[in-house]
mmCIF file of all heavy atoms in Angstrom:
data_model
loop_
_atom_site.group_PDB
_atom_site.id
_atom_site.type_symbol
_atom_site.label_atom_id
_atom_site.label_comp_id
_atom_site.label_asym_id
_atom_site.label_seq_id
_atom_site.Cartn_x
_atom_site.Cartn_y
_atom_site.Cartn_z
ATOM 1 N N LEU I 1 75.934 98.900 156.876
ATOM 2 C CA LEU I 1 76.614 99.504 158.030
ATOM 3 C C LEU I 1 77.933 100.159 157.645
ATOM 4 O O LEU I 1 78.468 100.966 158.392
ATOM 5 C CB LEU I 1 76.885 98.437 159.092
ATOM 6 C CG LEU I 1 75.675 97.817 159.786
ATOM 7 C CD1 LEU I 1 76.110 96.620 160.622
ATOM 8 C CD2 LEU I 1 74.986 98.843 160.668
ATOM 9 N N PHE I 2 78.467 99.801 156.471
ATOM 10 C CA PHE I 2 79.827 100.199 156.132
ATOM 11 C C PHE I 2 79.832 101.015 154.843
ATOM 12 O O PHE I 2 79.300 100.587 153.827
ATOM 13 C CB PHE I 2 80.722 98.962 155.967
ATOM 14 C CG PHE I 2 80.619 98.014 157.122
ATOM 15 C CD1 PHE I 2 79.804 96.899 157.042
ATOM 16 C CD2 PHE I 2 81.304 98.252 158.303
ATOM 17 C CE1 PHE I 2 79.684 96.025 158.110
ATOM 18 C CE2 PHE I 2 81.187 97.396 159.372
ATOM 19 C CZ PHE I 2 80.371 96.274 159.281
ATOM 20 N N ASN I 3 80.463 102.168 154.898
ATOM 21 C CA ASN I 3 80.577 103.001 153.715
ATOM 22 C C ASN I 3 81.863 102.659 152.969
ATOM 23 O O ASN I 3 82.817 102.155 153.558
ATOM 24 C CB ASN I 3 80.563 104.479 154.096
ATOM 25 C CG ASN I 3 80.121 105.365 152.950
ATOM 26 O OD1 ASN I 3 79.972 104.903 151.825
ATOM 27 N ND2 ASN I 3 79.910 106.640 153.230
ATOM 28 N N ALA I 4 81.864 102.941 151.676
ATOM 29 C CA ALA I 4 83.041 102.666 150.860
ATOM 30 C C ALA I 4 82.923 103.452 149.567
ATOM 31 O O ALA I 4 81.863 103.987 149.238
ATOM 32 C CB ALA I 4 83.161 101.172 150.568
ATOM 33 N N ASP I 5 84.031 103.510 148.819
ATOM 34 C CA ASP I 5 83.999 104.167 147.516
ATOM 35 C C ASP I 5 83.367 103.282 146.457
ATOM 36 O O ASP I 5 82.759 103.784 145.501
ATOM 37 C CB ASP I 5 85.421 104.547 147.092
ATOM 38 C CG ASP I 5 86.036 105.580 148.012
ATOM 39 O OD1 ASP I 5 85.515 106.710 148.068
ATOM 40 O OD2 ASP I 5 87.021 105.245 148.698
ATOM 41 N N ALA I 6 83.511 101.976 146.615
ATOM 42 C CA ALA I 6 82.959 101.037 145.631
ATOM 43 C C ALA I 6 82.572 99.742 146.332
ATOM 44 O O ALA I 6 83.109 99.411 147.395
ATOM 45 C CB ALA I 6 83.975 100.760 144.527
ATOM 46 N N GLN I 7 81.641 99.031 145.739
ATOM 47 C CA GLN I 7 81.176 97.758 146.296
ATOM 48 C C GLN I 7 80.920 96.787 145.160
ATOM 49 O O GLN I 7 80.346 97.147 144.130
ATOM 50 C CB GLN I 7 79.888 97.962 147.102
ATOM 51 C CG GLN I 7 79.349 96.682 147.748
ATOM 52 C CD GLN I 7 78.092 96.945 148.577
ATOM 53 O OE1 GLN I 7 77.523 98.035 148.546
ATOM 54 N NE2 GLN I 7 77.660 95.935 149.312
ATOM 55 N N VAL I 8 81.351 95.541 145.360
ATOM 56 C CA VAL I 8 81.088 94.463 144.405
ATOM 57 C C VAL I 8 80.309 93.382 145.130
ATOM 58 O O VAL I 8 80.768 92.849 146.150
ATOM 59 C CB VAL I 8 82.395 93.873 143.832
ATOM 60 C CG1 VAL I 8 82.079 92.739 142.864
ATOM 61 C CG2 VAL I 8 83.226 94.954 143.147
ATOM 62 N N ASP I 9 79.132 93.058 144.605
ATOM 63 C CA ASP I 9 78.285 92.052 145.241
ATOM 64 C C ASP I 9 77.435 91.394 144.161
ATOM 65 O O ASP I 9 77.207 91.976 143.099
ATOM 66 C CB ASP I 9 77.387 92.702 146.298
ATOM 67 C CG ASP I 9 76.997 91.733 147.418
ATOM 68 O OD1 ASP I 9 76.225 90.796 147.127
ATOM 69 O OD2 ASP I 9 77.460 91.905 148.552
ATOM 70 N N ASP I 10 76.959 90.193 144.452
ATOM 71 C CA ASP I 10 76.112 89.495 143.482
ATOM 72 C C ASP I 10 74.627 89.672 143.775
ATOM 73 O O ASP I 10 73.798 89.126 143.054
ATOM 74 C CB ASP I 10 76.452 87.996 143.443
ATOM 75 C CG ASP I 10 76.227 87.314 144.786
ATOM 76 O OD1 ASP I 10 76.746 87.800 145.799
ATOM 77 O OD2 ASP I 10 75.526 86.287 144.826
ATOM 78 N N ARG I 11 74.294 90.439 144.835
ATOM 79 C CA ARG I 11 72.887 90.669 145.168
ATOM 80 C C ARG I 11 72.627 92.158 145.361
ATOM 81 O O ARG I 11 73.265 92.807 146.192
ATOM 82 C CB ARG I 11 72.506 89.888 146.428
ATOM 83 C CG ARG I 11 72.494 88.382 146.196
ATOM 84 C CD ARG I 11 71.756 87.655 147.305
ATOM 85 N NE ARG I 11 72.572 87.530 148.492
ATOM 86 C CZ ARG I 11 72.149 86.974 149.624
ATOM 87 N NH1 ARG I 11 70.897 86.533 149.733
ATOM 88 N NH2 ARG I 11 72.964 86.862 150.657
ATOM 89 N N LEU I 12 71.664 92.666 144.618
ATOM 90 C CA LEU I 12 71.324 94.079 144.717
ATOM 91 C C LEU I 12 70.875 94.441 146.126
ATOM 92 O O LEU I 12 71.141 95.545 146.609
ATOM 93 C CB LEU I 12 70.217 94.434 143.719
ATOM 94 C CG LEU I 12 70.611 94.631 142.255
ATOM 95 C CD1 LEU I 12 69.390 95.013 141.440
ATOM 96 C CD2 LEU I 12 71.700 95.689 142.101
ATOM 97 N N ALA I 13 70.185 93.516 146.779
ATOM 98 C CA ALA I 13 69.662 93.786 148.112
ATOM 99 C C ALA I 13 70.767 94.041 149.129
ATOM 100 O O ALA I 13 70.516 94.617 150.192
ATOM 101 C CB ALA I 13 68.784 92.627 148.583
ATOM 102 N N LYS I 14 71.981 93.618 148.816
ATOM 103 C CA LYS I 14 73.110 93.806 149.734
ATOM 104 C C LYS I 14 73.904 95.073 149.436
ATOM 105 O O LYS I 14 74.885 95.368 150.121
ATOM 106 C CB LYS I 14 74.044 92.591 149.668
ATOM 107 C CG LYS I 14 73.402 91.287 150.103
ATOM 108 C CD LYS I 14 73.006 91.302 151.557
ATOM 109 C CE LYS I 14 72.448 89.980 152.015
ATOM 110 N NZ LYS I 14 72.065 89.991 153.442
ATOM 111 N N MET I 15 73.486 95.817 148.421
ATOM 112 C CA MET I 15 74.215 97.029 148.064
ATOM 113 C C MET I 15 73.924 98.148 149.060
ATOM 114 O O MET I 15 72.785 98.338 149.488
ATOM 115 C CB MET I 15 73.821 97.489 146.656
ATOM 116 C CG MET I 15 74.193 96.509 145.554
ATOM 117 S SD MET I 15 75.970 96.419 145.298
ATOM 118 C CE MET I 15 76.029 95.450 143.784
ATOM 119 N N ASP I 16 74.958 98.890 149.411
ATOM 120 C CA ASP I 16 74.836 100.029 150.318
ATOM 121 C C ASP I 16 74.465 101.264 149.486
ATOM 122 O O ASP I 16 75.180 101.632 148.554
ATOM 123 C CB ASP I 16 76.160 100.248 151.044
ATOM 124 C CG ASP I 16 76.082 101.315 152.120
ATOM 125 O OD1 ASP I 16 75.172 102.172 152.049
ATOM 126 O OD2 ASP I 16 76.912 101.292 153.035
ATOM 127 N N ASN I 17 73.360 101.902 149.839
ATOM 128 C CA ASN I 17 72.898 103.064 149.082
ATOM 129 C C ASN I 17 73.888 104.218 149.104
ATOM 130 O O ASN I 17 73.862 105.083 148.228
ATOM 131 C CB ASN I 17 71.545 103.538 149.623
ATOM 132 C CG ASN I 17 70.419 102.583 149.289
ATOM 133 O OD1 ASN I 17 70.464 101.873 148.293
ATOM 134 N ND2 ASN I 17 69.403 102.563 150.131
ATOM 135 N N ASP I 18 74.758 104.268 150.112
ATOM 136 C CA ASP I 18 75.716 105.363 150.235
ATOM 137 C C ASP I 18 76.969 105.167 149.384
ATOM 138 O O ASP I 18 77.785 106.075 149.271
ATOM 139 C CB ASP I 18 76.127 105.542 151.703
ATOM 140 C CG ASP I 18 74.975 106.015 152.580
ATOM 141 O OD1 ASP I 18 74.126 106.767 152.074
ATOM 142 O OD2 ASP I 18 74.921 105.624 153.758
ATOM 143 N N VAL I 19 77.120 103.984 148.800
ATOM 144 C CA VAL I 19 78.278 103.714 147.949
ATOM 145 C C VAL I 19 78.021 104.273 146.551
ATOM 146 O O VAL I 19 76.985 103.987 145.940
ATOM 147 C CB VAL I 19 78.567 102.197 147.883
ATOM 148 C CG1 VAL I 19 79.671 101.911 146.873
ATOM 149 C CG2 VAL I 19 78.961 101.676 149.254
ATOM 150 N N LYS I 20 78.942 105.048 146.046
ATOM 151 C CA LYS I 20 78.733 105.691 144.742
ATOM 152 C C LYS I 20 78.830 104.701 143.586
ATOM 153 O O LYS I 20 78.037 104.758 142.647
ATOM 154 C CB LYS I 20 79.750 106.821 144.560
ATOM 155 C CG LYS I 20 79.540 107.994 145.509
ATOM 156 C CD LYS I 20 80.549 109.096 145.249
ATOM 157 C CE LYS I 20 80.318 110.271 146.193
ATOM 158 N NZ LYS I 20 81.302 111.361 145.975
ATOM 159 N N LEU I 21 79.806 103.816 143.643
ATOM 160 C CA LEU I 21 80.009 102.862 142.553
ATOM 161 C C LEU I 21 79.613 101.470 143.022
ATOM 162 O O LEU I 21 80.349 100.810 143.752
ATOM 163 C CB LEU I 21 81.473 102.880 142.093
ATOM 164 C CG LEU I 21 81.848 101.900 140.971
ATOM 165 C CD1 LEU I 21 80.937 102.082 139.766
ATOM 166 C CD2 LEU I 21 83.307 102.060 140.577
ATOM 167 N N LYS I 22 78.444 101.032 142.606
ATOM 168 C CA LYS I 22 77.932 99.717 142.993
ATOM 169 C C LYS I 22 77.980 98.812 141.769
ATOM 170 O O LYS I 22 77.400 99.127 140.731
ATOM 171 C CB LYS I 22 76.501 99.840 143.521
ATOM 172 C CG LYS I 22 76.403 100.657 144.791
ATOM 173 C CD LYS I 22 75.002 100.638 145.378
ATOM 174 C CE LYS I 22 74.056 101.582 144.665
ATOM 175 N NZ LYS I 22 74.367 103.015 144.962
ATOM 176 N N ILE I 23 78.676 97.692 141.921
ATOM 177 C CA ILE I 23 78.877 96.759 140.803
ATOM 178 C C ILE I 23 78.184 95.450 141.118
ATOM 179 O O ILE I 23 78.541 94.763 142.087
ATOM 180 C CB ILE I 23 80.378 96.525 140.552
ATOM 181 C CG1 ILE I 23 81.077 97.853 140.215
ATOM 182 C CG2 ILE I 23 80.580 95.503 139.435
ATOM 183 C CD1 ILE I 23 82.583 97.739 140.143
ATOM 184 N N LEU I 24 77.195 95.101 140.308
ATOM 185 C CA LEU I 24 76.538 93.805 140.442
ATOM 186 C C LEU I 24 77.364 92.771 139.705
ATOM 187 O O LEU I 24 77.499 92.826 138.481
ATOM 188 C CB LEU I 24 75.119 93.845 139.887
ATOM 189 C CG LEU I 24 74.353 92.524 140.007
ATOM 190 C CD1 LEU I 24 74.014 92.206 141.466
ATOM 191 C CD2 LEU I 24 73.081 92.538 139.158
ATOM 192 N N PHE I 25 77.907 91.832 140.436
ATOM 193 C CA PHE I 25 78.733 90.767 139.861
ATOM 194 C C PHE I 25 77.799 89.718 139.255
ATOM 195 O O PHE I 25 76.974 89.128 139.955
ATOM 196 C CB PHE I 25 79.588 90.141 140.961
ATOM 197 C CG PHE I 25 80.679 89.238 140.460
ATOM 198 C CD1 PHE I 25 81.940 89.742 140.199
ATOM 199 C CD2 PHE I 25 80.452 87.890 140.262
ATOM 200 C CE1 PHE I 25 82.958 88.916 139.750
ATOM 201 C CE2 PHE I 25 81.458 87.060 139.810
ATOM 202 C CZ PHE I 25 82.719 87.569 139.543
ATOM 203 N N SER I 26 77.909 89.488 137.968
ATOM 204 C CA SER I 26 77.012 88.550 137.289
ATOM 205 C C SER I 26 77.177 87.144 137.846
ATOM 206 O O SER I 26 78.291 86.644 137.986
ATOM 207 C CB SER I 26 77.282 88.550 135.784
ATOM 208 O OG SER I 26 76.869 89.768 135.216
ATOM 209 N N SER I 27 76.052 86.511 138.163
ATOM 210 C CA SER I 27 76.079 85.171 138.715
ATOM 211 C C SER I 27 74.873 84.387 138.223
ATOM 212 O O SER I 27 73.959 84.941 137.604
ATOM 213 C CB SER I 27 76.097 85.221 140.245
ATOM 214 O OG SER I 27 76.447 83.954 140.793
ATOM 215 N N TYR I 28 74.864 83.107 138.497
ATOM 216 C CA TYR I 28 73.821 82.209 138.000
ATOM 217 C C TYR I 28 72.426 82.634 138.437
ATOM 218 O O TYR I 28 71.443 82.351 137.753
ATOM 219 C CB TYR I 28 74.093 80.774 138.484
ATOM 220 C CG TYR I 28 74.055 80.606 139.986
ATOM 221 C CD1 TYR I 28 72.903 80.227 140.647
ATOM 222 C CD2 TYR I 28 75.200 80.842 140.767
ATOM 223 C CE1 TYR I 28 72.867 80.086 142.031
ATOM 224 C CE2 TYR I 28 75.170 80.719 142.144
ATOM 225 C CZ TYR I 28 74.007 80.336 142.770
ATOM 226 O OH TYR I 28 73.963 80.217 144.139
ATOM 227 N N HIS I 29 72.302 83.331 139.548
ATOM 228 C CA HIS I 29 70.996 83.627 140.134
ATOM 229 C C HIS I 29 70.498 85.038 139.862
ATOM 230 O O HIS I 29 69.380 85.379 140.269
ATOM 231 C CB HIS I 29 71.043 83.414 141.656
ATOM 232 C CG HIS I 29 72.026 84.312 142.338
ATOM 233 N ND1 HIS I 29 71.709 85.580 142.750
ATOM 234 C CD2 HIS I 29 73.335 84.131 142.641
ATOM 235 C CE1 HIS I 29 72.775 86.137 143.298
ATOM 236 N NE2 HIS I 29 73.779 85.283 143.244
ATOM 237 N N ASN I 30 71.309 85.883 139.202
ATOM 238 C CA ASN I 30 70.883 87.273 139.027
ATOM 239 C C ASN I 30 70.783 87.721 137.578
ATOM 240 O O ASN I 30 70.675 88.925 137.296
ATOM 241 C CB ASN I 30 71.800 88.222 139.819
ATOM 242 C CG ASN I 30 73.238 88.242 139.305
ATOM 243 O OD1 ASN I 30 73.519 87.894 138.171
ATOM 244 N ND2 ASN I 30 74.160 88.669 140.167
ATOM 245 N N MET I 31 70.793 86.791 136.640
ATOM 246 C CA MET I 31 70.796 87.159 135.231
ATOM 247 C C MET I 31 69.457 87.723 134.767
ATOM 248 O O MET I 31 69.377 88.342 133.703
ATOM 249 C CB MET I 31 71.197 85.961 134.371
ATOM 250 C CG MET I 31 72.590 85.403 134.677
ATOM 251 S SD MET I 31 73.886 86.682 134.765
ATOM 252 C CE MET I 31 73.848 87.349 133.116
#
């Protein structure tokens, strides 16, 4: 629902497609 210049999240499914810089934060469940 929210646009931004960058996004940091530990789940790809939560990434906003409209955000240019998407950073997957490494965590125990996404390696």
Side-chain angles (χ1 to χ4, degrees):
L1 294 170
F2 310 98
N3 203 352
D5 295 296
Q7 181 178 9
V8 179
D9 207 291
D10 61 308
R11 291 196 282 178
L12 281 182
K14 298 296 184 180
M15 296 290 190
D16 186 338
N17 289 332
D18 294 327
V19 174
K20 293 182 179 179
L21 179 54
K22 296 186 281 289
I23 300 172
L24 181 69
F25 192 91
S26 290
S27 194
Y28 63 93
H29 61 86
N30 65 22
M31 300 312 298

